Amino acid sequence: MLDSRLLHSNVLTGLALNASAIPDAMMAVLPGAAKVAFRGRPVAVAAVSETFGIKLPGEPCRFARNGGRSAVWLGPDEWLLQAVGEMPEALLGLLHEGLLKHSYALVDVSHRSLAFSVSGPKSEYILKHGCPLDLSLGTFPVGMCTRTVIGKAPVMLLRQDPSTFHVDIWRSFVPYVWQLLDEARSELAV
Protein backbone atom coordinates (compact mmCIF):
# COMPACT_ATOMS: atom_id res chain seq x y z
CA MET A 1 0.00 0.00 0.00
CA LEU A 2 1.30 3.46 -0.89
CA ASP A 3 2.12 5.64 2.11
CA SER A 4 -0.43 8.49 2.14
CA ARG A 5 2.22 10.86 3.51
CA LEU A 6 4.06 10.63 0.17
CA LEU A 7 0.96 11.63 -1.78
CA HIS A 8 0.27 14.43 0.69
CA SER A 9 3.69 15.97 0.22
CA ASN A 10 3.67 15.60 -3.57
CA VAL A 11 0.32 17.30 -4.24
CA LEU A 12 0.24 20.16 -1.76
CA THR A 13 3.96 20.79 -1.35
CA GLY A 14 4.32 21.58 -5.04
CA LEU A 15 1.50 24.11 -4.82
CA ALA A 16 2.86 25.62 -1.61
CA LEU A 17 6.34 26.09 -3.09
CA ASN A 18 4.91 28.45 -5.71
CA ALA A 19 2.73 30.44 -3.29
CA SER A 20 3.75 33.96 -2.37
CA ALA A 21 4.44 34.85 1.25
CA ILE A 22 1.63 37.25 2.11
CA PRO A 23 1.59 37.78 5.91
CA ASP A 24 -2.03 39.00 6.03
CA ALA A 25 -3.26 35.69 4.57
CA MET A 26 -0.80 32.80 4.73
CA MET A 27 -1.54 29.39 3.26
CA ALA A 28 0.34 26.40 4.65
CA VAL A 29 0.27 22.65 4.12
CA LEU A 30 -0.93 20.76 7.21
CA PRO A 31 0.88 17.58 8.23
CA GLY A 32 -0.50 14.22 7.13
CA ALA A 33 -2.99 12.55 9.42
CA ALA A 34 -4.71 9.22 9.83
CA LYS A 35 -8.42 9.90 9.26
CA VAL A 36 -11.18 7.56 10.35
CA ALA A 37 -14.91 8.06 9.86
CA PHE A 38 -16.77 6.77 12.93
CA ARG A 39 -20.48 6.13 13.39
CA GLY A 40 -22.03 4.78 16.54
CA ARG A 41 -24.64 5.01 19.27
CA PRO A 42 -24.06 6.87 22.56
CA VAL A 43 -22.42 3.89 24.33
CA ALA A 44 -19.99 3.45 21.44
CA VAL A 45 -19.32 7.21 21.42
CA ALA A 46 -18.34 7.03 25.09
CA ALA A 47 -16.01 4.08 24.36
CA VAL A 48 -14.36 5.90 21.44
CA SER A 49 -13.97 9.07 23.51
CA GLU A 50 -12.10 7.10 26.16
CA THR A 51 -9.98 5.11 23.68
CA PHE A 52 -9.15 8.07 21.42
CA GLY A 53 -8.47 10.44 24.30
CA ILE A 54 -10.94 13.14 23.25
CA LYS A 55 -14.56 13.60 24.30
CA LEU A 56 -16.35 13.52 20.96
CA PRO A 57 -18.38 16.70 20.46
CA GLY A 58 -22.13 16.26 20.86
CA GLU A 59 -22.99 19.77 19.71
CA PRO A 60 -23.55 20.17 15.95
CA CYS A 61 -20.77 21.73 13.88
CA ARG A 62 -18.10 21.58 16.59
CA PHE A 63 -14.73 19.88 16.93
CA ALA A 64 -12.45 19.00 19.82
CA ARG A 65 -8.72 18.42 19.85
CA ASN A 66 -6.02 17.15 22.14
CA GLY A 67 -2.46 17.42 20.89
CA GLY A 68 -2.27 15.96 17.38
CA ARG A 69 -5.70 14.34 17.60
CA SER A 70 -9.06 15.86 16.77
CA ALA A 71 -12.68 14.75 16.58
CA VAL A 72 -14.96 16.58 14.15
CA TRP A 73 -18.76 16.38 14.43
CA LEU A 74 -20.20 15.49 11.01
CA GLY A 75 -23.74 14.44 11.93
CA PRO A 76 -25.90 13.23 14.82
CA ASP A 77 -24.03 9.91 15.00
CA GLU A 78 -20.98 10.56 12.80
CA TRP A 79 -17.51 11.96 13.51
CA LEU A 80 -14.20 12.28 11.70
CA LEU A 81 -11.30 11.21 13.94
CA GLN A 82 -7.91 12.58 12.89
CA ALA A 83 -4.48 11.75 14.28
CA VAL A 84 -1.54 13.74 12.91
CA GLY A 85 1.54 11.65 12.20
CA GLU A 86 -0.15 8.34 13.07
CA MET A 87 -0.65 5.42 10.72
CA PRO A 88 -4.27 4.58 9.83
CA GLU A 89 -3.83 0.87 10.52
CA ALA A 90 -2.61 1.50 14.07
CA LEU A 91 -5.42 3.95 14.77
CA LEU A 92 -8.05 1.55 13.41
CA GLY A 93 -6.63 -1.27 15.54
CA LEU A 94 -6.74 0.88 18.68
CA LEU A 95 -10.33 1.96 18.01
CA HIS A 96 -11.53 -1.56 17.14
CA GLU A 97 -10.05 -2.82 20.40
CA GLY A 98 -11.88 -0.17 22.41
CA LEU A 99 -15.18 -0.95 20.67
CA LEU A 100 -15.28 -4.75 20.96
CA LYS A 101 -18.54 -4.77 22.94
CA HIS A 102 -20.38 -2.23 20.79
CA SER A 103 -22.06 -1.83 17.40
CA TYR A 104 -20.20 0.71 15.28
CA ALA A 105 -18.76 1.58 11.88
CA LEU A 106 -15.14 2.65 11.29
CA VAL A 107 -13.80 3.49 7.84
CA ASP A 108 -10.27 4.57 6.97
CA VAL A 109 -10.63 7.73 4.86
CA SER A 110 -7.02 8.91 5.18
CA HIS A 111 -6.45 8.78 1.43
CA ARG A 112 -9.58 10.79 0.58
CA SER A 113 -8.57 14.31 1.54
CA LEU A 114 -5.70 16.68 2.20
CA ALA A 115 -5.63 19.75 4.40
CA PHE A 116 -4.10 23.20 4.47
CA SER A 117 -4.51 26.26 6.64
CA VAL A 118 -5.41 29.83 5.79
CA SER A 119 -4.26 32.18 8.53
CA GLY A 120 -3.69 35.84 9.25
CA PRO A 121 -5.81 38.95 9.74
CA LYS A 122 -7.30 38.65 6.23
CA SER A 123 -8.04 34.89 6.34
CA GLU A 124 -11.84 35.40 6.52
CA TYR A 125 -11.67 37.84 3.63
CA ILE A 126 -9.73 35.40 1.45
CA LEU A 127 -12.06 32.47 2.20
CA LYS A 128 -15.08 34.63 1.36
CA HIS A 129 -13.82 34.74 -2.24
CA GLY A 130 -15.20 31.24 -2.68
CA CYS A 131 -17.22 30.35 0.43
CA PRO A 132 -20.86 31.54 0.76
CA LEU A 133 -20.94 31.32 4.58
CA ASP A 134 -20.73 34.18 7.04
CA LEU A 135 -17.31 33.48 8.57
CA SER A 136 -17.34 36.35 11.03
CA LEU A 137 -16.13 35.42 14.51
CA GLY A 138 -19.60 35.94 16.01
CA THR A 139 -21.29 33.60 13.53
CA PHE A 140 -18.46 31.11 12.97
CA PRO A 141 -16.59 31.03 16.32
CA VAL A 142 -13.40 29.23 17.29
CA GLY A 143 -14.14 25.49 17.59
CA MET A 144 -16.78 25.52 14.86
CA CYS A 145 -16.65 23.31 11.78
CA THR A 146 -18.92 22.63 8.85
CA ARG A 147 -19.14 21.08 5.44
CA THR A 148 -19.45 23.79 2.81
CA VAL A 149 -18.03 24.76 -0.57
CA ILE A 150 -15.19 26.90 -1.80
CA GLY A 151 -15.89 27.76 -5.39
CA LYS A 152 -17.50 24.61 -6.71
CA ALA A 153 -15.59 22.20 -4.47
CA PRO A 154 -16.98 20.56 -1.32
CA VAL A 155 -14.76 21.15 1.71
CA MET A 156 -14.77 20.80 5.47
CA LEU A 157 -13.88 24.07 7.16
CA LEU A 158 -12.68 24.35 10.78
CA ARG A 159 -11.88 27.53 12.72
CA GLN A 160 -8.80 26.82 14.86
CA ASP A 161 -8.39 30.30 16.35
CA PRO A 162 -9.71 33.79 15.51
CA SER A 163 -7.50 34.12 12.43
CA THR A 164 -6.76 30.50 11.41
CA PHE A 165 -8.95 28.15 9.39
CA HIS A 166 -8.21 24.58 8.34
CA VAL A 167 -9.55 23.50 4.94
CA ASP A 168 -9.95 19.74 4.48
CA ILE A 169 -10.63 18.96 0.85
CA TRP A 170 -10.97 15.90 -1.32
CA ARG A 171 -7.71 15.20 -3.09
CA SER A 172 -8.97 15.81 -6.63
CA PHE A 173 -10.17 19.34 -5.75
CA VAL A 174 -6.94 20.46 -4.02
CA PRO A 175 -5.30 22.26 -6.98
CA TYR A 176 -8.54 24.10 -7.86
CA VAL A 177 -9.23 25.35 -4.31
CA TRP A 178 -5.61 26.17 -3.54
CA GLN A 179 -5.24 28.19 -6.75
CA LEU A 180 -8.58 29.97 -6.25
CA LEU A 181 -7.57 31.12 -2.74
CA ASP A 182 -3.99 31.89 -3.76
CA GLU A 183 -5.29 34.10 -6.56
CA ALA A 184 -7.57 35.89 -4.08
CA ARG A 185 -4.53 36.50 -1.89
CA SER A 186 -2.65 38.15 -4.76
CA GLU A 187 -4.60 41.39 -4.27
CA LEU A 188 -2.94 41.68 -0.84
CA ALA A 189 0.59 41.40 -2.23
CA VAL A 190 2.73 44.46 -1.70
Short mmCIF file of all heavy atoms in Angstrom, two decimals, residues 34-67:
data_model
loop_
_atom_site.label_atom_id
_atom_site.label_comp_id
_atom_site.label_asym_id
_atom_site.label_seq_id
_atom_site.Cartn_x
_atom_site.Cartn_y
_atom_site.Cartn_z
N ALA A 34 -3.81 10.36 9.99
CA ALA A 34 -4.71 9.22 9.83
C ALA A 34 -6.11 9.78 10.04
O ALA A 34 -6.35 10.57 10.95
CB ALA A 34 -4.40 8.16 10.87
N LYS A 35 -7.04 9.40 9.18
CA LYS A 35 -8.42 9.90 9.26
C LYS A 35 -9.37 8.72 9.22
O LYS A 35 -9.32 7.90 8.31
CB LYS A 35 -8.72 10.85 8.11
CG LYS A 35 -7.85 12.09 8.11
CD LYS A 35 -8.12 12.97 6.91
CE LYS A 35 -7.16 14.14 6.89
NZ LYS A 35 -7.39 15.02 5.75
N VAL A 36 -10.23 8.66 10.24
CA VAL A 36 -11.18 7.56 10.35
C VAL A 36 -12.58 8.12 10.54
O VAL A 36 -12.80 8.95 11.43
CB VAL A 36 -10.81 6.64 11.54
CG1 VAL A 36 -11.86 5.56 11.74
CG2 VAL A 36 -9.44 6.02 11.33
N ALA A 37 -13.50 7.70 9.69
CA ALA A 37 -14.91 8.06 9.86
C ALA A 37 -15.51 7.07 10.84
O ALA A 37 -15.37 5.86 10.69
CB ALA A 37 -15.64 8.01 8.53
N PHE A 38 -16.17 7.59 11.88
CA PHE A 38 -16.77 6.77 12.93
C PHE A 38 -18.25 7.07 13.03
O PHE A 38 -18.67 8.21 13.02
CB PHE A 38 -16.10 7.04 14.28
CG PHE A 38 -16.90 6.56 15.47
CD1 PHE A 38 -17.04 5.20 15.71
CD2 PHE A 38 -17.53 7.46 16.32
CE1 PHE A 38 -17.79 4.76 16.79
CE2 PHE A 38 -18.28 7.03 17.40
CZ PHE A 38 -18.41 5.67 17.64
N ARG A 39 -19.05 6.00 13.12
CA ARG A 39 -20.48 6.13 13.39
C ARG A 39 -20.82 5.17 14.51
O ARG A 39 -20.34 4.04 14.53
CB ARG A 39 -21.31 5.80 12.16
CG ARG A 39 -21.09 6.81 11.04
CD ARG A 39 -22.08 6.66 9.96
NE ARG A 39 -23.32 7.30 10.45
CZ ARG A 39 -24.31 7.66 9.66
NH1 ARG A 39 -24.25 7.45 8.38
NH2 ARG A 39 -25.38 8.24 10.16
N GLY A 40 -21.65 5.64 15.44
CA GLY A 40 -22.03 4.78 16.54
C GLY A 40 -23.07 5.40 17.45
O GLY A 40 -23.32 6.60 17.39
N ARG A 41 -23.64 4.57 18.28
CA ARG A 41 -24.64 5.01 19.27
C ARG A 41 -23.92 5.58 20.48
O ARG A 41 -22.71 5.44 20.62
CB ARG A 41 -25.53 3.85 19.62
CG ARG A 41 -26.32 3.40 18.41
CD ARG A 41 -27.30 2.34 18.74
NE ARG A 41 -28.01 2.01 17.49
CZ ARG A 41 -28.94 1.12 17.41
NH1 ARG A 41 -29.32 0.46 18.49
NH2 ARG A 41 -29.53 0.88 16.26
N PRO A 42 -24.68 6.21 21.40
CA PRO A 42 -24.06 6.87 22.56
C PRO A 42 -23.08 6.01 23.36
O PRO A 42 -22.03 6.52 23.79
CB PRO A 42 -25.26 7.30 23.40
CG PRO A 42 -26.34 7.56 22.37
CD PRO A 42 -26.13 6.49 21.33
N VAL A 43 -23.37 4.72 23.56
CA VAL A 43 -22.42 3.89 24.33
C VAL A 43 -21.11 3.69 23.57
O VAL A 43 -20.04 3.67 24.17
CB VAL A 43 -23.03 2.52 24.75
CG1 VAL A 43 -24.13 2.70 25.77
CG2 VAL A 43 -23.52 1.75 23.55
N ALA A 44 -21.20 3.58 22.26
CA ALA A 44 -19.99 3.45 21.44
C ALA A 44 -19.23 4.78 21.40
O ALA A 44 -17.99 4.79 21.41
CB ALA A 44 -20.34 3.00 20.02
N VAL A 45 -19.96 5.88 21.41
CA VAL A 45 -19.32 7.21 21.42
C VAL A 45 -18.51 7.37 22.70
O VAL A 45 -17.37 7.86 22.67
CB VAL A 45 -20.38 8.33 21.29
CG1 VAL A 45 -19.77 9.70 21.53
CG2 VAL A 45 -21.05 8.27 19.92
N ALA A 46 -19.07 6.95 23.82
CA ALA A 46 -18.34 7.03 25.09
C ALA A 46 -17.08 6.17 25.04
O ALA A 46 -16.01 6.59 25.52
CB ALA A 46 -19.25 6.60 26.24
N ALA A 47 -17.17 4.98 24.46
CA ALA A 47 -16.01 4.08 24.36
C ALA A 47 -14.93 4.69 23.47
O ALA A 47 -13.73 4.63 23.79
CB ALA A 47 -16.44 2.72 23.85
N VAL A 48 -15.33 5.28 22.34
CA VAL A 48 -14.36 5.90 21.44
C VAL A 48 -13.71 7.11 22.10
O VAL A 48 -12.51 7.34 21.99
CB VAL A 48 -15.01 6.29 20.09
CG1 VAL A 48 -14.14 7.26 19.31
CG2 VAL A 48 -15.25 5.05 19.25
N SER A 49 -14.51 7.91 22.80
CA SER A 49 -13.97 9.07 23.51
C SER A 49 -12.86 8.65 24.46
O SER A 49 -11.80 9.27 24.51
CB SER A 49 -15.08 9.79 24.27
OG SER A 49 -16.02 10.38 23.39
N GLU A 50 -13.10 7.58 25.20
CA GLU A 50 -12.10 7.10 26.16
C GLU A 50 -10.87 6.54 25.43
O GLU A 50 -9.73 6.85 25.78
CB GLU A 50 -12.72 6.02 27.04
CG GLU A 50 -11.77 5.54 28.13
CD GLU A 50 -12.43 4.53 29.06
OE1 GLU A 50 -13.64 4.64 29.32
OE2 GLU A 50 -11.71 3.63 29.51
N THR A 51 -11.09 5.74 24.42
CA THR A 51 -9.98 5.11 23.68
C THR A 51 -9.16 6.13 22.91
O THR A 51 -7.93 6.06 22.90
CB THR A 51 -10.53 4.05 22.70
OG1 THR A 51 -11.27 3.08 23.44
CG2 THR A 51 -9.42 3.35 21.95
N PHE A 52 -9.82 7.08 22.27
CA PHE A 52 -9.15 8.07 21.42
C PHE A 52 -8.53 9.21 22.23
O PHE A 52 -7.64 9.90 21.76
CB PHE A 52 -10.16 8.60 20.40
CG PHE A 52 -9.57 9.39 19.27
CD1 PHE A 52 -8.60 8.86 18.44
CD2 PHE A 52 -10.01 10.69 19.02
CE1 PHE A 52 -8.07 9.60 17.39
CE2 PHE A 52 -9.49 11.44 17.97
CZ PHE A 52 -8.52 10.89 17.16
N GLY A 53 -9.03 9.40 23.45
CA GLY A 53 -8.47 10.44 24.30
C GLY A 53 -9.08 11.82 24.11
O GLY A 53 -8.51 12.81 24.55
N ILE A 54 -10.23 11.88 23.46
CA ILE A 54 -10.94 13.14 23.25
C ILE A 54 -12.43 12.87 23.42
O ILE A 54 -12.96 11.93 22.83
CB ILE A 54 -10.73 13.69 21.82
CG1 ILE A 54 -9.26 14.03 21.58
CG2 ILE A 54 -11.60 14.91 21.57
CD1 ILE A 54 -8.97 14.50 20.17
N LYS A 55 -13.10 13.71 24.18
CA LYS A 55 -14.56 13.60 24.30
C LYS A 55 -15.14 14.09 22.97
O LYS A 55 -14.96 15.25 22.59
CB LYS A 55 -15.08 14.45 25.45
CG LYS A 55 -16.57 14.29 25.66
CD LYS A 55 -17.02 15.07 26.89
CE LYS A 55 -18.44 14.83 27.28
NZ LYS A 55 -19.47 14.90 26.29
N LEU A 56 -15.79 13.16 22.25
CA LEU A 56 -16.35 13.52 20.96
C LEU A 56 -17.43 14.58 21.14
O LEU A 56 -18.27 14.47 22.03
CB LEU A 56 -16.95 12.29 20.27
CG LEU A 56 -15.98 11.45 19.44
CD1 LEU A 56 -14.81 10.96 20.24
CD2 LEU A 56 -16.70 10.30 18.78
N PRO A 57 -17.39 15.64 20.32
CA PRO A 57 -18.38 16.70 20.46
C PRO A 57 -19.79 16.19 20.20
O PRO A 57 -20.02 15.45 19.26
CB PRO A 57 -17.98 17.74 19.42
CG PRO A 57 -16.82 17.21 18.69
CD PRO A 57 -16.46 15.88 19.24
N GLY A 58 -20.73 16.61 21.04
CA GLY A 58 -22.13 16.26 20.86
C GLY A 58 -22.92 17.40 20.27
O GLY A 58 -24.04 17.22 19.80
N GLU A 59 -22.33 18.59 20.26
CA GLU A 59 -22.99 19.77 19.71
C GLU A 59 -22.72 19.84 18.21
O GLU A 59 -21.57 19.66 17.77
CB GLU A 59 -22.46 21.02 20.40
CG GLU A 59 -23.18 22.28 20.00
CD GLU A 59 -22.65 23.51 20.72
OE1 GLU A 59 -21.84 23.38 21.66
OE2 GLU A 59 -23.04 24.61 20.32
N PRO A 60 -23.74 20.10 17.40
CA PRO A 60 -23.55 20.17 15.95
C PRO A 60 -22.48 21.19 15.55
O PRO A 60 -22.33 22.24 16.17
CB PRO A 60 -24.92 20.59 15.43
CG PRO A 60 -25.87 20.15 16.47
CD PRO A 60 -25.14 20.29 17.78
N CYS A 61 -21.75 20.84 14.51
CA CYS A 61 -20.77 21.73 13.88
C CYS A 61 -19.66 22.18 14.83
O CYS A 61 -19.21 23.32 14.77
CB CYS A 61 -21.47 22.94 13.26
SG CYS A 61 -22.66 22.50 11.99
N ARG A 62 -19.19 21.27 15.68
CA ARG A 62 -18.10 21.58 16.59
C ARG A 62 -17.03 20.50 16.47
O ARG A 62 -17.29 19.39 16.03
CB ARG A 62 -18.58 21.64 18.04
CG ARG A 62 -19.57 22.74 18.33
CD ARG A 62 -18.92 24.11 18.20
NE ARG A 62 -19.80 25.18 18.61
CZ ARG A 62 -20.51 25.93 17.77
NH1 ARG A 62 -20.47 25.70 16.48
NH2 ARG A 62 -21.25 26.91 18.22
N PHE A 63 -15.81 20.86 16.88
CA PHE A 63 -14.73 19.88 16.93
C PHE A 63 -13.98 20.05 18.23
O PHE A 63 -14.05 21.09 18.90
CB PHE A 63 -13.79 20.00 15.73
CG PHE A 63 -12.95 21.24 15.71
CD1 PHE A 63 -11.68 21.25 16.26
CD2 PHE A 63 -13.42 22.41 15.13
CE1 PHE A 63 -10.90 22.38 16.23
CE2 PHE A 63 -12.65 23.56 15.10
CZ PHE A 63 -11.39 23.55 15.65
N ALA A 64 -13.28 19.00 18.62
CA ALA A 64 -12.45 19.00 19.82
C ALA A 64 -11.09 18.47 19.45
O ALA A 64 -10.96 17.65 18.54
CB ALA A 64 -13.09 18.14 20.91
N ARG A 65 -10.07 18.92 20.15
CA ARG A 65 -8.72 18.42 19.85
C ARG A 65 -7.92 18.27 21.13
O ARG A 65 -8.19 18.91 22.14
CB ARG A 65 -8.02 19.32 18.86
CG ARG A 65 -7.73 20.68 19.35
CD ARG A 65 -7.03 21.53 18.33
NE ARG A 65 -7.02 22.90 18.84
CZ ARG A 65 -6.64 23.93 18.17
NH1 ARG A 65 -6.24 23.79 16.93
NH2 ARG A 65 -6.64 25.11 18.71
N ASN A 66 -6.94 17.40 21.04
CA ASN A 66 -6.02 17.15 22.14
C ASN A 66 -4.70 16.77 21.50
O ASN A 66 -4.57 15.68 20.93
CB ASN A 66 -6.56 16.03 23.04
CG ASN A 66 -5.66 15.77 24.23
OD1 ASN A 66 -4.73 16.52 24.50
ND2 ASN A 66 -5.92 14.68 24.93
N GLY A 67 -3.74 17.67 21.54
CA GLY A 67 -2.46 17.42 20.89
C GLY A 67 -2.66 17.29 19.39
O GLY A 67 -3.30 18.12 18.76
#
